[in-house]
Every structure is written in C-alpha cells, then in structure tokens.
C-alpha cells in the first residue's frame, strides 16, 4: 500500500471560519492572509473572503471586538466603545497613555524617518533622549541603521506603531509633513547655537521628561 503523499495531506482539517477564529485567538501579532491560509489549509482567496465575512459579521452583531486588517495582517481588537472598560481592567488605574512630549516626538519620527535624535531635538527644541528611550521601550520606534555622513543612529517607526494607529502603511498618514520645519535649516541653526559658549560652563541641557 502506498504511503499518503504530502500533497494529499495538505487539505482542510476544519471548517474555515472557526479554524480562522481559533488561530487568530492565540496570535500575538497581526497575521497576513497567506500565513493564515497555510495554517488552516485553505486557498488564500477563500481565506480572504472568510476574513472579510467574519469582520462584517462581528460588526453586524455588535460584538465587543472587531476583526481588522491592520499593518498588513488580521487581528482581533476591542471595539472602540469598550476600550475604556478594557483599559481600566488591564491597567487597574495606571496611566499607559503617552505624554504630550512623547506624542510630539513620535510625530516627528513618523513624518521625517529615518531620522536621528539630534534632528528630532532640533525640531522640538529640547533634548529628547529620555522620550526616545520611552518610545523604543514601548515598541513604537526602532533603530534604522546609521547616518552615512555623521554616523548617528537613525530611528523609524515600527509595524506596531502602524497597528496602534490603525493604518496599513505610512502612506495613509495625514498630510502634515509640509507643516514641519525644514530639517537642514534647523540643523544649521543648532550647529551655530552649539558652537557658541555656554552661559554656565559645564551645565548640561535639561532633558525633557518622557
């Protein structure tokens, strides 16, 4: 008797929609359609159709969660109207929101990436080292190599950042970049300022609190 071939085994092992729900329930990051198709053993077009159907079904039923396609993959999310309830339960009153300083710094990185900390500091007019560490620790910003001219570490936003703000790519960000100051002019101004003697010798620039 011939042994079953690998192709013969690559068949659906469960109903499509429940299988997708089971996989998505344990996923700790968004999963794209090819990955899900491999997991449940169905063709990608059928998986895409089933995902869209599930998403619409949850919305029509007014469930406490949504299934969304964000940052290039599908994942369950708490519906917006219940976010405060969940936040209160998970955080037990602790504040997890980013400060205004962190939000402003994150916006600069998002629109000017890849960008160095020095340039972010030039745009914001304050030392952003502490804020940048917070953004990196939160998984919203990551290193993106080095500046070939100065050797400074460059930073960019992460896929988690896209996931949190609910967009698939940076192209979907609002058109705000033209309103930001010119980086080259700011860098020249910063260089001129730093070449002048400090009012108090040895005094460090105060670091903005994250």
């Amino acid at each position: 008797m011939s042994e079953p071939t690998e192709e013969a085994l690559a068949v659906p092992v469960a109903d499509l929609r429940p299988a997708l729900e089971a996989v998505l329930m344990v996923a700790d990051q968004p999963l794209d359609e090819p990955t899900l198709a491999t997991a449940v053993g169905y063709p990608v077009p059928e998986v895409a159709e089933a995902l869209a159907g599930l998403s619409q079904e949850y919305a029509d039923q007014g469930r406490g969660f949504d299934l969304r396609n964000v940052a290039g993959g599908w994942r369950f999310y708490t519906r917006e109207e219940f976010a405060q309830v969940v936040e209160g339960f998970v955080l037990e009153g602790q504040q997890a929101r980013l400060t205004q300083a962190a939000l402003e710094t994150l916006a600069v990185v998002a629109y000017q990436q890849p960008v160095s900390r020095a340039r972010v500091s030039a745009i914001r007019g304050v030392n952003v080292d502490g804020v940048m560490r917070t953004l990196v620790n939160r998984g919203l910003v990551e290193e993106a190599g080095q500046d070939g001219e100065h050797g400074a570490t460059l930073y960019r936003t992460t896929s988690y950042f896209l996931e949190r703000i609910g967009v698939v790519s940076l192209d979907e960000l609002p058109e705000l970049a033209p309103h930001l100051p010119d980086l080259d002019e700011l860098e020249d101004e910063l260089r001129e300022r730093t070449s002048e003697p400090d009012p108090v010798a040895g005094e460090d620039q105060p670091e903005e609190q994250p």
Side-chain angles (χ1 to χ4, degrees), residues 100-102 104-105 108 119-126 128 131 208:
Q100 185 65 30
E104 292 176 3
T105 301
V108 173
R119 284 195 162 193
V120 177
S121 294
I123 291 176
R124 298 221 42 240
V126 293
V128 299
V131 178
E208 184 174 36

Side-chain angles (χ1 to χ4, degrees), residues 128-144:
V128 299
D129 288 358
V131 178
M132 288 292 286
R133 284 195 296 269
T134 296
L135 295 175
V136 171
N137 291 336
R138 291 283 188 93
L140 297 167
V141 169
E142 64 185 1
E143 293 186 5

Side-chain angles (χ1 to χ4, degrees), residues 20 23-24 27 29-40 44 47-48 51 68-75:
L20 288 171
V23 172
L24 289 165
Q29 61 185 1
L31 300 177
D32 59 26
E33 291 164 5
T35 299
L36 287 167
T38 299
V40 301
V44 172
V47 168
L51 289 166
R68 306 179 202 161
N69 184 3
V70 174
W74 291 83
R75 188 176 185 181

